[in-house]
Each structure stands twice: as structure tokens, then as C-alpha cells.
Amino acid sequence: MSSQPSPDPLAAQLAPASTALLTVECQRGVVGADSALPELAHQVRSTGVLDRIAELTATAHRAGVQVLHAVAERRPDGRGANRNARLFRAAERLPVRQLAGSPAVQVAEPVPVAEEDLVVRRLHGLSPLAGTDVDALLRNLGVRTLVVTGVSANVAVPNAVFDAVNLGYTAVVPADAIAGVPADYTAAMIQHTLALVATVTTADEVRARWTD
């Protein structure tokens, strides 16, 4: 009697028809050469994180996985933006501002943007999901699993993961496709927080499920 192959839980979670890839704040003004946050930009580039996000995005395109790019921006007059945390007030003083319509809020190279990708922009808050169209878009697309990549592991990425879980999605985090500062904080965040609520894996493991 032949034995049946063992089920692959990750492959089941990452079924292309019900999965979306989310890139968080992978924009020129955050991770690009002229970043407002040079330490974070250096971290995401020097460690290969941005390249892995680009490779994941290209693989998602080929596999028919929906890609969403979450961009944080603000109006030149700041209307509607938060000022209720030190982070927001500090951002107002940075030399590079994430102004709507400026190069700073374009998706950074080498992450590819396809015609079928959705770019979701937010003017307020800390999360790519809370107060944006992302949840409604995902539900309309039949998405049940959200693969979260990008920056930062300090703020926006955990916010995205928590919100996804609270909304009933399965969250998958490729640990080598997110970044924060300092470098050792990202590993601690993954081990002690994100691993409790999300499936933690690697970019290669995700790509392998989309290329079989």
C-alpha cells in the first residue's frame, strides 16, 4: 500500500486564488536612496530585504497572486493627518516628506508594479489596513491569506499583521522580507510577537509555493 504524501500546510495557506501579497511602505521616500529615514533605508537595502520583496512580487505576478502596495502619504497642508503621537510630529520635521503626488510616494525600485496591482494610499494612522480600503478590496477578491512584507518591523508591519488577524485573515510573514531598526529589534519582534499570531516563514519558502 503506497503512502500518501504529507499535506503541506503552508501551500494550503498560500493558494494563489485566495492569497494576496502586501508590500508595506516600500516607497522611495522611505526605502529609496533619498529616504527620509536613511538608517531604515540602509537596513532594508544592505540586508537584501528590498530585493527579496521585489523577487516575491515578481513571483506573485507570475502565479496570479494579487499584489497590493500600501503607501503612506500626506497632503502638503497636512489636512487629515495625525498629530497625536511623537512619530507623526517628528515626520513633519524630516527633510524628505511623503507628499501626495511626489516621487517620495512612488513604489521604490526594484519592486515591480504591474497593471493589475492595487496601490492603496493612506493619509492618516499607522496601519495599512485600519481606515483604508484594503479589507474591502481583499474580501471582494476572495482573499483569505495576507502575506505581509516591507517596513517597518517597529510600527507599520506589526500593525498590518494584527489588523489582518483581527479581521479574520491568516497572516504570513516572510521573516527575511521585513525590516526595522535597530537590526536586532526585527528578530525580537518576529520571535516574541509576530510568531504568536502569524505563520513565520521565509521569502524562498513563499516563492517555492507559488512556483510549484
Side-chain angles (χ1 to χ4, degrees):
M1 212 175 150
S2 62
S3 59
Q4 295 294 321
S6 300
D8 183 346
L10 185 59
Q13 287 182 347
L14 294 172
S18 57
T19 300
L21 173 68
L22 179 69
T23 74
V24 179
E25 296 183 26
C26 292
Q27 57 201 76
R28 292 183 180 180
V30 175
V31 299
D34 297 321
S35 170
L37 304 165
E39 184 181 0
L40 178 60
H42 174 75
Q43 182 66 24
V44 77
R45 289 179 170 274
S46 65
T47 59
V49 166
L50 195 61
D51 289 332
R52 283 189 284 274
I53 294 170
E55 291 166 358
L56 266 174
T57 303
T59 303
H61 289 156
R62 292 191 293 270
V65 173
Q66 181 65 57
V67 176
L68 294 89
H69 303 281
V71 173
E73 63 182 34
R74 60 183 288 122
R75 289 168 50 112
D77 61 8
R79 190 175 296 273
N82 290 68
R83 299 200 74 255
N84 58 336
R86 188 175 67 176
L87 175 66
F88 301 121
R89 296 190 294 273
E92 294 176 353
R93 299 190 296 271
L94 291 173
V96 177
R97 301 175 68 202
Q98 314 300 317
L99 298 181
S102 72
V105 297
Q106 295 175 359
V107 176
E109 299 82 359
V111 179
V113 181
E115 185 176 352
E116 62 269 22
D117 292 0
L118 297 170
V119 179
V120 180
R121 304 178 183 277
R122 76 177 194 275
L123 289 171
H124 63 87
L126 299 169
S127 171
L129 275 73
T132 72
D133 294 332
V134 169
D135 181 38
L137 293 171
L138 294 178
R139 293 186 188 280
N140 287 345
L141 290 163
V143 169
R144 300 304 309 149
T145 298
L146 189 62
V147 180
V148 180
T149 67
V151 297
S152 72
N154 305 73
V155 178
V157 167
N159 266 269
V161 172
F162 295 150
D163 286 343
V165 173
N166 285 332
L167 289 166
Y169 298 97
T170 296
V172 174
V173 178
D176 55 353
I178 67 171
V181 290
D184 57 358
Y185 180 80
T186 300
M189 168 60 75
I190 292 168
Q191 179 181 354
H192 299 295
T193 302
L194 298 185
L196 302 178
V197 295
T199 298
V200 176
T201 183
T202 67
D204 281 348
E205 289 293 332
V206 174
R207 292 177 62 228
R209 277 29 177 224
W210 290 344
T211 54
D212 287 345

